[in-house]
Amino acid sequence: MDSQHLNPSSLKSRFTARFLRALIKINAQKPISSSSPREIFQRYRRIKVAADKSMAYSVRSRRTWSRATLWKLRSQSRRRLASSGRRSSIKTRTTTTTTITTTSTNHRAAIVEKTSHEKENKEDHVGLAVQAEELRELVPGGESMDLCNLLDETAHYIKCLTTQVQVMKKIANLYSLE
Amino acid sequence: MADFSEQSYRQPFPFLDIDPTMESLTQFAELNPQSFILDNSAFNFQTFFPLSINDSLFSNQASQGETMSGFIHNSNQSSVSAQPIFSAKTEVEEISNKRKALDILESSSGNSSSSSPQVSETGIKRRNNSGRGKRAKSNEKEMEKPKEVVHVRARRGQATDSHSLAERVRRGKINERLRCLQDIVPGCYKTMGMALMLDEIINYVQSLQNQVEFLSMKLTAASTYYDFNSESDAMERMQRGKAEEAKELERLMREGYVGIGGVACFHSSSTYGPL
C-alpha cells in the first residue's frame, strides 16, 4: 500500500495538497444540481484558476513566471470584486476571456506576418528573435527577460506544467472510477 | 667510414620514425645541410606536417618559432620543398577557414628574416592570452583540438574587443540552456538547429497549456455529474487505486474536510484506518 512514499516537500505533493483543497472548496460552494452552461463555465474557470494559482503558490515567488501568474490572477480577482453584482461580474469575466482570446489570436496573426516578413530581416547574431517573442508570449512574465533567462524560466515552467498535468490526470481518473 | 655509417643510420630515422617533433627535424636539417637531403626531407615533411601540427606546434611555442624559422630558412633554399609545405599548411587553413593566419604564414615564409620575430610574437601573444581568465579556457580547448590552432590566432584579434567576448560568453550560455531544454522536451534531436529546437519547445509548452485547460474542463464535468450516493463505493475504489492522490484525499477527508462529493464522510473514512 505504502509502496510509493511522497516527499512531503516536493513540488508535486505541495501542488496536490493545495489543488485538492481548492477543489473541495469549489465543490462545496456550488450546488451540483445546477447545470446551466453559464454555471458550468464559471466552475470551469474557477477550477482552472485554482489549478494555476495552486501551482504558482507551490513555487512561491522564486521564479519570475510564478510571480507574474500570481499578480495576474490577483488583478483579475480584484477586477471581478470591483464590478458590482454577480451578473456584471460574469459578463466582465466572459468579456475578459473573449478579449483575451481575441488579443491572443491577433497576436498570433501578427506574429505569423512578422515571421514571414521579418525572418529575413531580423537576423541577430543568434537569429532567434522571432521565436523568442513567441516564447515570451507563452511563458508568463517573459516579456522583460533576455533570451538566456527566458530559457531558464521555460525549463522550470515546463517542469511545473508537467507535474500539474500529471496530478490533474490522476484526479480526473479518480473521478472516472465511479 | 664510421661517420658515413653513422650518417646513413641517422638519415633513415627521421623518415621512418614518425616522431613529429620539429626539433628532431631541425636537428636532422642541421646534420645534413645538403640540398638533396633537404629535398628528401621536404617530401617527408609533407606527411610529417599534419602530425607535427597535431602535437608539436603547441608544446613549445618559442622553440617552435625558432625551429620553424630555421626550417623555413632551409626550405627557401630549394623552391621545390617550399611549395609542398605551403600546400600542407594551406590545407590545414582551408579546413579551418582562417585567412589571417595564411597571410601571417605566407609573410613569415616570404621574409625569412622577419619570420622569427613574427612567430615569436605569436608565441608571446598566445601566452598573454592564456593569462586572461575566460580566454584561458577556450585556448586550452583549442590546444586539445589541433586543427583549430588557426582559430586561436584569428580569434586573438577579436578577443581584445570586449563586446565580442561578452557575445561569445552569452552564446555559450544560451547553448547550454538549450541543451538542458533538449533533454526535457521530447522530440528534440541534437541535429536540429537552434531555431527548430525553439519551435519544438514552443509547441510543447502550448500543448501542455492546452492539456491543463482540457483537464480542468474534464474535472468540471466530472464534479458536476458526481453522484453523492456512491460515496462509499468511491472510497473503496480509491483505496484500491495506487494513486498517491488517493492517499492525499484520504488524509484530507480524515481531517474532517467535506468530501469531494460534498457530503461529510469522515466517519466512514475513519473505519479504514491508516494507509
Side-chain angles (χ1 to χ4, degrees):
Chain A
M1 283 264 189
D2 276 337
S3 53
Q4 282 171 325
H5 281 279
L6 269 178
N7 177 13
S9 61
S10 79
L11 176 74
K12 200 178 195 182
S13 55
R14 289 203 304 266
F15 169 68
T16 319
R18 247 182 261 267
F19 185 49
L20 282 173
R21 261 181 249 143
L23 265 185
I24 288 167
K25 228 195 283 182
I26 290 171
N27 284 317
Q29 282 173 3
K30 312 294 288 170
I32 313 290
S33 56
S34 67
S35 55
S36 67
R38 208 183 267 172
E39 299 281 334
I40 291 178
F41 180 74
Q42 213 178 349
R43 198 171 216 190
Y44 153 69
R45 282 294 303 174
R46 285 207 184 150
I47 289 181
K48 178 154 190 287
V49 161
D52 291 335
K53 204 173 194 181
S54 46
M55 179 44 87
Y57 262 116
S58 308
V59 181
R60 293 286 159 183
S61 301
R62 277 176 297 187
R63 287 280 166 175
T64 318
W65 68 264
S66 67
R67 292 196 291 266
T69 337
L70 285 174
W71 186 84
K72 207 193 299 178
L73 291 171
R74 277 187 200 137
S75 62
Q76 277 179 4
S77 66
R78 254 180 258 140
R79 246 180 279 144
R80 276 181 222 163
L81 288 173
S83 61
S84 56
R86 262 186 110 199
R87 282 200 177 170
S88 56
S89 67
I90 292 168
K91 276 185 192 166
T92 51
R93 227 174 291 151
T94 50
T95 48
T96 46
T97 48
T98 48
T99 48
I100 286 166
T101 49
T102 48
T103 49
S104 64
T105 49
N106 286 341
H107 266 290
R108 298 266 160 84
I111 285 168
V112 167
E113 287 177 16
K114 251 191 185 181
T115 52
S116 60
H117 290 297
E118 287 193 353
K119 249 179 190 169
E120 307 105 31
N121 302 340
K122 252 190 181 179
E123 268 299 307
D124 259 343
H125 289 278
V126 206
L128 300 169
V130 172
Q131 282 107 334
E133 282 302 311
E134 281 197 46
L135 204 54
R136 286 207 179 90
E137 299 247 333
L138 283 176
V139 176
E143 289 86 16
S144 54
M145 278 194 284
D146 55 334
L147 188 60
C148 194
N149 293 328
L150 182 67
L151 291 177
D152 229 358
E153 293 285 318
T154 314
H156 193 261
Y157 186 56
I158 287 176
K159 175 183 149 197
C160 293
L161 275 181
T162 41
T163 39
Q164 201 175 359
V165 163
Q166 264 180 20
V167 169
M168 288 172 81
K169 259 190 210 171
K170 283 193 179 167
I171 296 179
N173 282 340
L174 283 176
Y175 267 117
S176 66
L177 281 174
E178 301 119 26
Chain B
M1 274 187 51
D3 293 339
F4 280 115
S5 64
E6 274 182 20
Q7 276 186 354
S8 63
Y9 274 121
R10 274 182 203 158
Q11 280 175 29
F13 272 134
F15 294 100
L16 299 173
D17 172 19
I18 309 179
D19 181 6
T21 58
M22 294 285 264
E23 288 165 347
S24 68
L25 294 172
T26 51
Q27 283 172 11
F28 177 73
E30 284 161 19
L31 282 170
N32 304 301
Q34 297 161 20
S35 58
F36 74 96
I37 293 171
L38 273 175
D39 285 334
N40 285 334
S41 65
F43 286 123
N44 283 310
F45 286 138
Q46 272 182 356
T47 54
F48 275 150
F49 233 94
L51 296 169
S52 65
I53 286 170
N54 282 344
D55 301 322
S56 62
L57 283 177
F58 309 94
S59 48
N60 307 316
Q61 293 163 6
S63 56
Q64 281 303 311
E66 291 159 21
T67 55
M68 269 176 66
S69 61
F71 172 65
I72 290 160
H73 258 294
N74 292 329
S75 68
N76 282 336
Q77 290 172 15
S78 56
S79 58
V80 182
S81 55
Q83 285 166 6
I85 294 151
F86 284 137
S87 66
K89 281 194 178 176
T90 49
E91 274 171 17
V92 173
E93 280 141 32
E94 271 160 19
I95 290 169
S96 53
N97 293 331
K98 295 292 173 186
R99 296 259 170 86
K100 274 188 190 177
L102 231 177
D103 296 335
I104 292 170
L105 286 168
E106 281 180 349
S107 62
S108 67
S109 57
N111 312 326
S112 53
S113 57
S114 61
S115 62
S116 44
Q118 263 195 356
V119 178
S120 58
E121 261 180 18
T122 61
I124 289 165
K125 277 186 186 171
R126 239 180 260 150
R127 256 178 265 137
N128 282 341
N129 248 4
S130 60
R132 286 188 210 176
K134 283 182 181 174
R135 290 267 63 90
K137 241 193 191 176
S138 59
N139 274 347
E140 281 170 314
K141 279 186 190 167
E142 308 301 329
M143 287 186 198
E144 289 165 24
K145 299 178 193 172
K147 279 187 195 167
E148 295 173 4
V149 63
V150 193
H151 274 287
V152 178
R153 284 193 186 173
R155 268 188 192 180
R156 220 176 335 99
Q158 293 177 18
T160 54
D161 188 8
S162 64
H163 286 298
S164 51
L165 257 179
E167 279 277 340
R168 214 170 299 135
V169 164
R170 178 178 158 266
R171 241 176 287 158
K173 271 195 201 169
I174 287 177
N175 281 328
E176 200 189 305
R177 304 272 162 87
L178 268 180
R179 250 174 270 138
C180 290
L181 275 171
Q182 211 179 41
D183 299 329
I184 296 174
V185 174
C188 267
Y189 304 105
K190 274 188 184 167
T191 52
M192 290 160 50
M194 266 204 254
L196 284 174
M197 274 206 276
L198 275 185
D199 280 334
E200 281 290 329
I201 291 165
I202 287 169
N203 282 336
Y204 190 58
V205 170
Q206 274 174 353
S207 76
L208 280 177
Q209 284 175 343
N210 288 337
Q211 270 184 317
V212 167
E213 277 196 39
F214 170 72
L215 280 170
S216 59
M217 265 195 253
K218 198 172 175 188
L219 281 176
T220 343
S223 68
T224 313
Y225 294 114
Y226 190 80
D227 194 11
F228 292 165
N229 297 330
S230 61
E231 185 65 41
S232 56
D233 296 335
M235 295 294 284
E236 278 183 39
R237 281 188 212 115
M238 274 191 262
Q239 210 178 1
R240 278 183 224 135
K242 288 175 193 171
E244 299 153 352
E245 283 70 26
K247 293 176 198 167
E248 288 281 317
L249 285 167
E250 294 285 318
R251 266 179 241 145
L252 286 170
M253 286 174 196
R254 238 176 279 140
E255 285 163 22
Y257 277 94
V258 178
I260 285 183
V263 175
C265 58
F266 48 83
H267 291 295
S268 54
S269 67
S270 60
T271 59
Y272 290 113
L275 283 171

